[in-house]
Amino acid sequence: MEILDGLSLFNTFPLAELEVGKHFYWEIGNFQLHGQVFLTSWFVIALLIVAALAGTRNIQVQTAPKGFQNLMEYALEFIQDLAKNQIGEKEYRPWVPFIGTLFLFIFVSNWSGALVPWKLLEIPGGELAAPTNDINTTVALALLTSLAYFYAGFSKRGLGYLKKYIEPTPILLPINILEDFTKPLSLSFRLFGNILADELVVAVLVFLVPLIVPLPVMVLGLFTSAIQALIFATLAGAYIGEAIEGHGGEEHH
Amino acid sequence: MMHWTVLLATEVAETVAEEGGGLFDFDATLPLMAIQFVVLVAVLNVLFYKPLGKALDEREEFIRTKQQTARDRLAQAQTLAQKYEQELVDVRRQSQDIIASAQSEAQKIVAGKVQEAQQQVQQQREATAREIEQQKAEAFASLEGQVDALSHQILEKLLGPELVR
């Protein structure tokens, strides 16, 4: 507690401040919303839409792509490759938008949290940060992923999808059911934990040594942020691919 | 430092828990964020994935057809070149044939002319020989007449005119 008192002395400096679990509440009817999450997520969404518009404003097909179109085509090809690797050549096409948007949204969110000095903008409660450092966002994305792979499984194999719960033996039934809970749980907590921890580490370091020292950690943060986006999208693709292929198909690759 | 962070986090979490906040504060943010994300997927699908994916496919198709036509044209050019070469060989052979035939014809003409000339010469020579022979015979005939007359005269002179008749 003495340490914390000492720290609160630091807190009087406007240089850095740590706020965890404080939210800027919006009330809609009986419901409460985390306003700071929505504000930054709108920023991220606007960024993505502007990038998409800039990339498709003047599509050149018969010449080599230039400028922004080139960048967006690179991004799209990266996403297509990711989906193709996880789901397979035959089925990947309808899932590109979902997996791609997962990747882009998480990636831009994470990097906006690391690169945009949100903390300079004052809001009435909490502080602006990456949307992915709020558990609601990551759980929402993870639940959507669960819905997506259930949909993929049922639309591809009908009720036969349920057979996967008793494969390879019915003894594994509880574990297989448990998997459906652990998948979104691990997805959401991995992303949430990584991003929050990264922002906390940077904040604490800035709080202790304001200059130079936090820089390597910030660079590391950029790296882990990108990796987390990639992991989330890849795992979502892997789950969808697994649901489409079934357990028998897994041994082929 | 880790220690501090944990302490700090618990401390802050404790303080905000009283105000109804915290790290694991689930509320209407979750479903709204999910809806927002689904809408984003739909919007980006229309604005980004479809047009750019179409552009990628079209470009691939474009490159493939271009490559195919280029390959076709190359093959065409090669067959044409082969054809022309064949034609060239044929024409060369033909020209050689023509030259050879012309040469042989000329040779024939020359030989014919030479023969003709030789024949003419022969004929002329024969004709001349015949004429000479004829003239010789004529000359002999006239000489014979003269010889008769002269021998008669000689006989007259030697024997006298009475005896001779």
Side-chain angles (χ1 to χ4, degrees):
Chain A
M1 275 304 139
E2 299 92 54
I3 302 167
L4 280 170
D5 285 342
L7 287 180
S8 61
L9 212 154
F10 276 110
N11 256 337
T12 52
F13 294 113
L15 206 57
E17 216 174 342
L18 265 184
E19 288 185 357
V20 178
K22 275 190 195 161
H23 302 293
F24 170 34
Y25 285 105
W26 287 350
E27 307 266 346
I28 294 180
N30 280 332
F31 300 110
Q32 282 192 322
L33 300 180
H34 295 173
Q36 86 276 16
V37 179
F38 280 103
L39 286 175
T40 44
S41 74
W42 290 340
F43 170 79
V44 169
I45 289 170
L47 210 64
L48 285 176
I49 288 175
V50 167
L53 286 176
T56 57
R57 193 172 34 129
N58 181 19
I59 292 182
Q60 302 282 328
V61 172
Q62 308 211 333
T63 57
K66 278 196 216 80
F68 220 75
Q69 189 195 345
N70 198 359
L71 176 71
M72 296 312 278
E73 276 188 18
Y74 173 75
L76 182 59
E77 279 185 340
F78 176 77
I79 290 161
Q80 280 179 338
D81 266 0
L82 201 158
K84 205 187 293 177
N85 284 337
Q86 297 305 326
I87 301 180
E89 186 80 58
K90 236 171 70 189
E91 308 278 354
Y92 82 95
R93 276 186 179 272
W95 293 103
V96 166
F98 181 70
I99 293 171
T101 312
L102 271 179
F103 175 76
L104 290 177
F105 181 74
I106 296 171
F107 179 71
V108 176
S109 293
N110 293 351
W111 273 36
S112 82
L115 293 176
V116 180
W118 290 116
K119 281 155 204 180
L120 299 182
L121 296 174
E122 296 261 337
I123 52 171
E127 58 189 9
L128 292 173
T132 36
N133 93 356
D134 191 278
I135 188 84
N136 288 288
T137 314
T138 60
V139 170
L141 296 180
L143 286 181
L144 281 177
T145 306
S146 292
L147 282 181
Y149 80 71
F150 271 111
Y151 169 75
F154 278 117
S155 67
K156 180 74 183 143
R157 301 197 281 156
L159 285 177
Y161 176 65
L162 294 176
K163 261 204 312 214
K164 77 153 193 179
Y165 286 107
I166 51 166
E167 276 170 357
T169 63
I171 301 166
L172 290 178
L173 177 69
I175 292 176
N176 284 333
I177 291 174
L178 206 62
E179 247 186 10
D180 281 331
F181 292 97
T182 55
K183 275 174 184 172
L185 205 68
S186 65
L187 270 183
S188 56
F189 273 73
R190 181 185 305 117
L191 182 59
F192 166 69
N194 269 290
I195 302 310
L196 185 74
D198 177 54
E199 292 196 352
L200 273 182
V201 167
V202 170
V204 168
L205 267 186
V206 170
F207 184 53
L208 297 173
V209 194
L211 289 176
I212 318 255
V213 177
L215 277 177
V217 183
M218 286 174 170
V219 173
L220 188 70
L222 284 182
F223 179 67
T224 49
S225 302
I227 292 292
Q228 285 310 315
L230 184 66
I231 286 174
F232 200 108
T234 308
L235 280 179
Y239 293 157
I240 292 167
E242 191 185 317
I244 287 174
E245 274 182 12
H247 270 273
E250 247 183 324
E251 278 104 49
H252 291 305
H253 49 86
Chain B
M1 196 182 307
M2 261 321 274
H3 199 57
W4 285 6
T5 329
V6 173
L7 274 178
L8 218 71
T10 50
E11 163 73 6
V12 174
E14 270 168 25
T15 53
V16 291
E18 291 150 20
E19 308 158 16
L23 274 179
F24 302 104
D25 182 24
F26 290 102
D27 54 19
T29 312
L30 199 161
L32 273 180
M33 185 57 86
I35 291 165
Q36 186 174 294
F37 183 78
V38 171
V39 171
L40 179 67
V41 170
V43 169
L44 281 188
N45 188 29
V46 173
L47 289 182
F48 175 49
Y49 300 107
K50 269 196 186 147
L52 223 51
K54 216 178 90 202
L56 284 181
D57 290 348
E58 274 172 9
R59 183 173 305 129
E60 204 170 312
E61 187 63 37
F62 176 73
I63 288 169
R64 210 183 358 240
T65 53
K66 279 267 157 174
Q67 228 168 6
Q68 191 57 50
T69 52
R71 219 173 283 137
D72 287 354
R73 272 191 202 160
L74 191 65
Q76 222 173 355
Q78 266 165 351
T79 54
L80 270 184
Q82 218 162 14
K83 206 178 108 192
Y84 285 142
E85 220 148 292
Q86 189 64 44
E87 264 174 39
L88 198 65
V89 168
D90 284 356
V91 167
R92 219 170 256 162
R93 197 178 298 140
Q94 256 173 358
S95 71
Q96 262 165 0
D97 283 358
I98 288 171
I99 288 170
S101 72
Q103 267 175 345
S104 70
E105 221 167 296
Q107 209 107 38
K108 234 182 271 171
I109 289 170
V110 166
K113 284 270 158 119
V114 165
Q115 209 173 3
E116 212 174 297
Q118 272 175 346
Q119 241 164 11
Q120 233 171 356
V121 167
Q122 194 79 23
Q123 266 173 1
Q124 243 162 4
R125 203 198 271 157
E126 272 170 23
T128 324
R130 253 200 313 271
E131 216 172 303
I132 289 167
E133 204 73 30
Q134 208 182 332
Q135 281 176 357
K136 206 159 106 184
E138 267 173 36
F140 271 125
S142 69
L143 272 180
E144 235 160 277
Q146 281 177 351
V147 166
D148 271 354
L150 282 176
S151 59
H152 215 272
Q153 276 179 350
I154 292 169
L155 272 175
E156 270 182 354
K157 262 182 196 174
L158 283 175
L159 296 171
E162 312 88 34
L163 272 176
V164 174
R165 208 153 292 152

